[in-house]
Structure formats: C-alpha cells, structure tokens
Amino acid sequence: ASRLPAGIMRRASATRVAGAAIAIGQARRGALQRYYLSAFGLLLAALAGLGCPQTFARRHSYPTTRRQLLAHLERPNLSEQDRLVSLTSLQDVFVADITKYARRRQWTEALTLFEEMPMHGLERNVAAYNAQLQAFGNKVKRWREAVELLAEMRRGGSRPNLESFYWTLRACSDARQWEAAFGVLEGLREEEIDPDSEFYLLLLRTCGRDALWEKAIELLHEMRNNPETPPLARHYQYAANACELANNFDMGTKVEEMAAAAGYGLRQ
C-alpha cells in the first residue's frame, strides 16, 4: 500500500490528539458535575431531616403578586428600606396588571386598579396613565374617558408622551370622533411632541372614514415634508378614500399619482 503524504499524517495525528483532549475534558467535567450533584443531594437530605426547606422558603421568599405585596406592607416593624422597595415593586405590579386588563379589553377592571393606586400610597406616573389610556383606547371606544384622563395627566405632574396621545387618539378614531381626534393632535403639538407614522395613520384613517379630504391632504403634505415620516401605502390609501367619499375625484387621482411616484399602487 502506498504511504500517505506527511502533511495528511500530521493533520490526522493532530485531530486524534484534539479528540482525546476533548474526551478527557468532558470526563473531568462529568466527574466534577457528579461530585457537586452528590454534595448538593447530601445537603438537601440533611436539610430535609431538619425540616429546613419549607422554613427557609418561608423566611426568604419575597412577595411578588399584588396581594402578597399589600400583605407584606401591613407587617409590623417593617424597615423603611423594605417599605420603599415593596412600594416600588407594588407600583410596577399595579401597572402590569392594568396593562394586562387593557390588552384583554377589560377597561373597567383596569380603571378599578388605577383608582386604587393612591389609596396604597402609589404615584400614578406616566406608565400608569398610559396603561389606563390603553385600556380606554384598545378597541373599546371609551373616547370621552380617554380625553378626560389625558387632560388630567396634562394638568398634573405627569407629562404625557407620544404613547399617551396615541391611545387617546386611538379611542377617538375607533369611535369616529374626528373633532376630538384632531383635538388630540393639537394637544400633541402643544407639548412639542412629533407624531410618528402610526399616529398619522390613525388620523388619516379618521379622515378616510369621514370624507375629510382637505385635512387628509394637509397631513400627507406634512408627512412628505418630514424625512422621518414618509407616507406609506396605507397613508395614501386613507387619503384617497377621503377624497372619494367627498366626491373629489380629481384630488383622489392626484393622491394616486403621488402614491405611484412613491412606488405604491392603491386599490381602486
């Protein structure tokens, strides 16, 4: 049989050496893991014999749910640091629970929790307001409540952000309250917050449903003049719908031409 070239022989030897090293390392790690598992098992057995696991869990588990945290805050001789940490955790849990109800479209349950927050010494911050605004705006059409809550937020110390205005606008748009919707836009500008693409889309949807073609064209031009918010196909479509509902077919054709120039084809 012919001998293999020396280079191939060296690579084969190196491969065998590397494989052997890996096998040794795995064996060592396996032995070490078995050692630790064995020691851990002995420790658990000793603790079980002393009746310790349950006692340890009771003494060292930290409350996480709303009910647990409220009960924890009622404990006597609670340190100030523990109280502050528990209040912070409780506030986060309240906001999370309000958001949960908002996603489920259970706005009354969300509102109950929102109104309870001051009773427990909790601040209704921007996150809490936004969670409740989401509860009013997530397809339940509670536009009056959303507008009032946003106004309360603006009067108080919690300065609204884009999300605050978005959920309020969503409530107004779903309820087909176009005047209230553009009032939300006015408030957004008073706060010197720039609308994003989704915010414009809700406004143009409102225009498309109520034949507000002039406002739709104004919004389109505003978007086209801002490199951060170029109109997309749905923006053009809602503007075209507004023109068609208003029987302004010439302007509707112009919107279609603008969309085509941007690379979008609209439904006829």
Side-chain angles (χ1 to χ4, degrees):
S2 58
R3 297 181 62 185
L4 293 172
I8 294 178
M9 292 293 292
R10 284 194 297 271
R11 286 195 293 272
S13 298
T15 302
R16 287 196 294 273
V17 171
I22 291 172
I24 292 170
Q26 290 176 342
R28 287 178 176 175
R29 284 195 296 273
L32 189 62
Q33 288 172 354
R34 286 193 296 274
Y35 170 78
Y36 281 125
L37 287 173
S38 176
F40 187 65
L42 291 172
L43 176 62
L44 286 180
L47 290 174
L50 295 173
C52 292
Q54 294 82 2
T55 305
F56 182 85
R58 283 196 299 269
R59 289 179 179 175
H60 293 82
S61 62
Y62 192 79
T64 56
T65 67
R66 183 161 32 94
R67 181 177 298 178
Q68 290 172 348
L69 285 163
L70 288 171
H72 182 72
L73 286 165
E74 295 296 327
R75 292 176 56 187
N77 303 323
L78 196 66
S79 70
E80 183 64 16
Q81 181 179 359
D82 196 357
R83 189 185 70 83
L84 292 175
V85 170
S86 299
L87 282 173
T88 300
S89 299
L90 183 61
Q91 179 152 338
D92 292 340
V93 169
F94 261 87
V95 172
D97 286 347
I98 294 169
T99 303
K100 176 185 67 178
Y101 285 125
R103 290 171 180 166
R104 295 176 179 175
R105 303 175 194 172
Q106 296 175 301
W107 67 272
T108 53
E109 289 82 351
L111 183 59
T112 298
L113 292 184
F114 182 76
E115 292 177 341
E116 279 183 15
M117 291 184 72
M119 304 176 190
H120 303 296
L122 302 176
E123 176 191 1
R124 294 194 291 202
N125 56 10
V126 174
Y129 273 102
N130 286 351
Q132 185 57 47
L133 287 168
Q134 180 182 355
F136 288 146
N138 188 23
K139 300 182 180 181
V140 296
K141 304 179 183 180
R142 308 304 300 186
W143 68 275
R144 288 188 179 88
E145 291 88 341
V147 170
E148 291 174 2
L149 188 62
L150 181 65
E152 174 189 313
M153 190 178 182
R154 296 183 68 189
R155 288 192 302 268
S158 298
R159 184 174 183 268
N161 55 21
L162 181 59
E163 183 181 356
S164 315
F165 286 96
Y166 171 83
W167 286 115
T168 308
L169 175 63
R170 175 89 173 263
C172 298
S173 180
D174 286 348
R176 300 189 66 167
Q177 298 293 324
W178 70 266
E179 291 180 335
F182 278 90
V184 174
L185 174 62
E186 183 180 351
L188 183 79
R189 288 172 171 162
E190 289 174 357
E191 295 288 345
E192 298 181 350
I193 301 173
D194 295 326
D196 63 1
S197 182
E198 287 296 318
F199 198 90
Y200 278 116
L201 188 65
L202 283 176
L203 286 169
L204 284 165
R205 183 182 70 167
T206 301
C207 295
R209 289 174 171 176
D210 291 289
L212 305 173
W213 71 270
E214 291 176 317
K215 290 186 178 295
I217 298 303
E218 181 181 342
L219 290 171
L220 268 187
H221 286 313
E222 188 176 312
M223 294 186 72
R224 284 162 58 89
N225 291 331
N226 186 351
E228 299 294 326
T229 56
L232 303 178
R234 294 176 68 192
H235 298 97
Y236 286 111
Q237 187 66 63
Y238 284 136
N241 292 348
C243 296
E244 291 176 8
L245 283 176
N247 295 324
N248 192 337
F249 300 109
D250 291 340
M251 185 56 68
T253 301
K254 291 181 180 179
V255 172
E256 291 174 2
E257 292 172 352
M258 285 191 289
Y264 302 115
L266 304 185
R267 300 190 309 268
Q268 299 296 325

